[in-house]
Amino acid sequence: MTETKSATLDVVAIGNAIVDVLARADDAFLAEHALTKGGMQLVDTETAELLYDNMGPGMEISGGSAANTLAGLAALGKKCGFIGQVCKDQLGDVFAHDIHTLGIAFDTPARTEEPPTARCLILVTPDGQRTMNTFLGASQFLPAAAIDKALIQSASILYLEGYLWDPAEPRAAMRSAIAMAKDAGRKVAFTLSDTFVIDRHRDDFLALIEEGMIDILFSNEGEITFLTGKSDFDAAVAALAPKVPVLVSTRSEKGAIAVVDGVRSEVPAAPVAEVVDTTGAGDLFAAGFLAGHVEGLPVADCLKLGAAAAAEVISHYGARPEADLKQIRAKTLA
């Protein structure tokens, strides 16, 4: 391990560079297109174009799980960097513009060849459930050469998005980044993202955990039980907690828990007047938690910040915060 220098950034994340296209839809539309309500499926170019042509008026907002987390961190005053692959096209320009306006460092060179920039077609039903149809496009061609060692090693925490573990090229890039972060004495945070990702890469994820490569693991109730093979949430937590220094798991309306060095903390979900769109709830929870963590706040306060940030994002359409998260932070920790 190299001599640890003071970090100049709080969090650098590697993830899918995606532009979200959100539209309202009813259950009949989901049934007509054989979509599983509340789920996420990967789609090819043909399916993406078909759905886009048939869905209602859309709203384009830069997304991607890890990038959403950075948007929340930036809104909380944290210094961040992002590594992700776009194509040199209209949506690629939209993504780069949006992330730069948040003050996030983003210098990954855009690809000039096909496929185009990734997009996620998100259908939001009247009950606030989001059904995501993701065309990964250029994002799955992030090469190891795009990993900026100086950027990785300048941050207190490297945050990795499980979704991007699926394609081979970014997976190799993230393995390289983990080694760089560990060499510099930095922490590695990882979010499991979705059960379909775990289903395909369970052995990889468990190996990373066993080898001590993950310092902070984010999951939800379904993901942690799926990863461990336990049907009971508490049994899953008990199985995994001794293997990671910080284990965080969200439970929707039941709140969230964290186990740090064997000590479990728990908070209720933050109140929400109306759940409009659950897109980005987990991403913003991670943002709030990590913001507290880099400040050295007590675990319970980190959880409260996560819950508050998640509550803000589900109160409106889109996966990026709209209200002033610094004000919400002040009220939450008052």
Side-chain angles (χ1 to χ4, degrees), residues 37 54 98 109 111 114 124 139 154 199 241 274 306 326-327:
K37 184 175 181 176
N54 285 280
D98 286 356
R111 282 167 58 91
E114 291 286 327
V124 185
S139 68
S154 71
D199 193 40
E274 181 189 6
K326 288 182 181 177
Q327 285 187 5

Side-chain angles (χ1 to χ4, degrees), residues 246-249 256-260 263-267 289 299 303:
V246 180
L247 174 65
V248 184
S249 195
I257 68 111
V259 183
V260 180
V263 179
R264 176 166 166 161
S265 303
E266 197 158 347
V267 297
F289 187 93
V299 178
L303 286 169

